[in-house]
Amino acid sequence: MAPTTSSTASELRTQQLSDIAASAGTPCYVYDAGAIRDAYATLDGAFDGYPHAIHYALKANSSLAIVKLVQRLGSHADANSPGEVDVAFRCGFRPDQIVFTGVGKSAVEIDRAVSLGLLAINVESPGELDRIDQRAIAQGVRARVALRVNPDIDANSHPHISTGLKSNKFGVPIDEAPALFREMSSRRGLQPVGAHVHIGSQITTLDPLRKAAEAVVALARDLKSEGVELQHLDMGGGLGISYDGSPVVNPSEYVRALVAATRGSGLTVAIEPGRVLVGPAGVQLSRVVDVKQFPGAKRFIVLDAGMTELMRPALYNAFHRITPLVRRDGHEVPVDIVGPICESTDAYARDRNFPPVDVGDIVVVSDVGAYGAVMGHTYLRRPLPPEVLIDGDRASTSLRASWRIIRRRQTLDELLALETE
Ligand SMILES: Cc1ncc(COP(=O)(O)O)c(C=O)c1O
């Protein structure tokens, strides 16, 4: 959540989060609409009039209210599954504003994507190219397609979220792309409209992103000389955020680098940002349920939230800032901040210096707006927690900024509703 500017504003924010925790219960996620709008405006403004489309990557956070908020800002959508395509429709995106990506699209999914007339189906392989062509011919249409190229560029991100190396499963090697574009142009059921590249997520340096952009621009130039004219270059998502305060790429600088690389081609630049739009706009509130320490052993702070509510630390060893909502007096000491799940990987932080807390205190985990709630699950029959959206006058130093529950807490009955004994 964006930092507040004065101590009064921060006291009000503390009071507001404390009210939310009391009414919505913990654990819960809290998003700040203003922070999402600001992040969107920064990216959009940096294009400085150059033809572009921002396709919000729904995978980062596909709660209906968040997707609707981004849609109202003028965003387009990047869907990574048929479910996300449907969410995009429900939130008001038109078919020609949606790109559909996915490394393994089933026959049913391809059939449906073709029938919807999306802006582009991002093609992952020669086999998929065939299957889309066949389904389009069967439906009597030409499917708009973009080829996802794999430029073999190291994003220098966590290996689990790097996608642009030869060794990754995504896309087709960029050297194969010209032949595949020629093939697509010759197919009755296909209309190649773009090239797509996405080399990973949480990328914190500009160089790999710029190189990937330059690679697709060079590809488009070569294709043009062969008579294959594209309409857009989809540079994917991936821009990182600073979870721990260390420097990351400035979003405006990133956009300017993409525009600089593309300008000569005159083609529309599409981007698929997720994390950078919504990540810093969300916090997770949880309550301390136990504090324990035995002589000569670690001190554990046990929360009512864990890997079921935030997978990133367990999945990627990811760092999130964690602070008590109200700080008590006393020295910081090293602690493990852990969840209640019966898995040793269920820890948000290890050996982290932390001020004193008591059972019942509220703890704030920062930067959970992206890949937080969406990756939540119900292991141990833990119902999904609520999500809250704060929206209102952020400049005001009153409590006028209002909030509402955008997803209520799941009940155990709802969780079990699909099952029979
Ligand atoms: C194809 C595609 N586009 C966009 C994104 C969004 O990435 P990020 O949230 O890092 O911007 C992802 C996520 O990895 C993705 O797989």
Side-chain angles (χ1 to χ4, degrees):
M1 191 167 291
T4 41
T5 47
S6 68
S7 62
T8 320
S10 107
E11 279 159 27
L12 285 164
R13 183 45 56 105
T14 300
Q15 198 181 328
Q16 186 170 49
L17 291 179
S18 153
D19 288 349
I20 291 171
S23 319
T26 57
C28 67
Y29 310 90
V30 185
Y31 310 118
D32 179 350
I36 298 173
R37 290 194 191 98
D38 290 351
Y40 186 88
T42 300
L43 281 182
D44 199 30
F47 280 96
D48 199 20
Y50 188 82
H52 68 281
I54 298 176
H55 290 261
Y56 170 57
L58 269 71
K59 69 189 287 193
N61 186 326
S62 55
S63 287
L64 294 177
I66 300 296
V67 178
K68 187 72 207 174
L69 190 161
V70 179
Q71 187 266 348
R72 284 204 185 103
L73 297 176
S75 177
H76 294 187
D78 166 39
N80 269 257
S81 70
E84 286 187 353
V85 171
D86 279 2
V87 167
F89 277 124
R90 277 183 66 157
C91 292
F93 290 99
R94 299 190 315 261
D96 66 351
Q97 294 177 320
I98 301 172
V99 293
F100 175 40
T101 310
V103 76
K105 305 177 191 76
S106 73
V108 173
E109 290 168 1
I110 289 175
D111 211 33
R112 173 128 200 283
V114 168
S115 72
L116 293 172
L118 304 178
L119 174 69
I121 303 174
N122 289 332
V123 180
E124 294 269 352
S125 73
E128 191 173 278
L129 180 160
D130 268 338
R131 291 187 284 276
I132 298 173
D133 183 39
Q134 285 162 19
R135 292 318 305 153
I137 292 169
Q139 292 182 30
V141 295
R142 281 184 89 192
R144 284 192 292 258
V145 285
L147 187 66
R148 178 169 181 173
V149 298
N150 184 324
D152 197 24
I153 290 172
D154 190 350
N156 296 320
S157 181
H158 190 282
H160 294 180
I161 45 176
S162 287
T163 56
L165 283 173
K166 233 195 255 172
S167 52
N168 298 130
K169 65 182 174 183
F170 302 93
V172 303
I174 196 159
D175 302 344
E176 307 283 338
L180 286 166
F181 269 106
R182 281 192 291 273
E183 183 63 30
M184 290 196 291
S185 302
S186 72
R187 297 293 182 102
R188 220 166 13 110
L190 301 180
Q191 181 191 1
V193 292
H196 176 228
V197 68
H198 173 77
I199 59 169
S201 193
Q202 186 50 18
I203 303 170
T204 54
T205 52
L206 187 54
D207 214 38
L209 293 160
R210 184 192 290 135
K211 280 192 184 132
E214 286 167 355
V216 284
V217 172
L219 172 65
R221 194 186 317 119
D222 293 350
L223 291 171
K224 191 173 180 182
S225 68
E226 293 187 29
V228 181
E229 295 255 10
L230 302 181
Q231 292 164 15
H232 73 256
L233 298 179
D234 182 344
M235 308 300 194
L239 196 57
I241 60 174
S242 185
Y243 286 96
D244 62 359
S246 42
V248 292
V249 185
N250 174 296
S252 303
E253 203 186 324
Y254 156 75
V255 167
R256 284 195 293 268
L258 298 187
V259 171
T262 318
R263 191 177 294 282
S265 74
L267 294 173
T268 297
V269 175
I271 55 171
E272 302 170 346
R275 190 186 310 266
V276 72
L277 288 180
V278 294
V283 296
Q284 185 186 70
L285 302 180
S286 59
R287 233 175 249 282
V288 176
V289 292
D290 199 6
V291 179
K292 66 175 184 177
Q293 179 167 34
F294 294 102
K298 280 187 164 190
R299 185 175 177 79
F300 291 100
I301 294 176
V302 189
L303 304 178
D304 63 2
M307 62 191 286
T308 39
E309 288 75 36
L310 182 64
M311 280 281 277
R312 299 189 67 258
L315 256 189
Y316 317 125
N317 207 15
F319 178 96
H320 283 264
R321 277 175 295 139
I322 307 174
T323 47
L325 181 60
V326 179
R327 197 185 157 120
R328 292 175 181 274
D329 289 338
H331 292 300
E332 295 195 345
V333 293
V335 299
D336 277 14
I337 302 173
V338 301
I341 317 295
C342 307
E343 301 285 338
S344 289
T345 186
D346 181 34
Y348 282 178
R350 296 184 202 275
D351 300 317
R352 180 88 58 94
N353 285 337
F354 208 68
V357 283
D358 253 345
V359 169
D361 286 2
I362 294 167
V363 161
V364 183
V365 184
S366 297
D367 302 315
V368 306
Y371 308 107
V374 274
M375 284 186 165
H377 50 104
T378 57
Y379 182 39
L380 299 192
R381 300 298 200 180
R382 288 165 64 79
L384 298 171
E387 294 174 87
V388 169
L389 183 65
I390 299 177
D391 199 358
D393 182 0
R394 281 199 307 154
S396 144
T397 50
S398 77
L399 259 183
R400 270 197 358 245
S402 54
W403 60 269
R404 67 188 171 100
I405 291 182
I406 56 170
R407 179 180 77 183
R408 67 169 171 77
R409 190 179 300 281
Q410 189 179 36
T411 65
L412 189 64
D413 281 346
E414 286 165 338
L415 202 162
L416 299 178
L418 306 178
E419 303 176 26
T420 50
E421 284 175 32

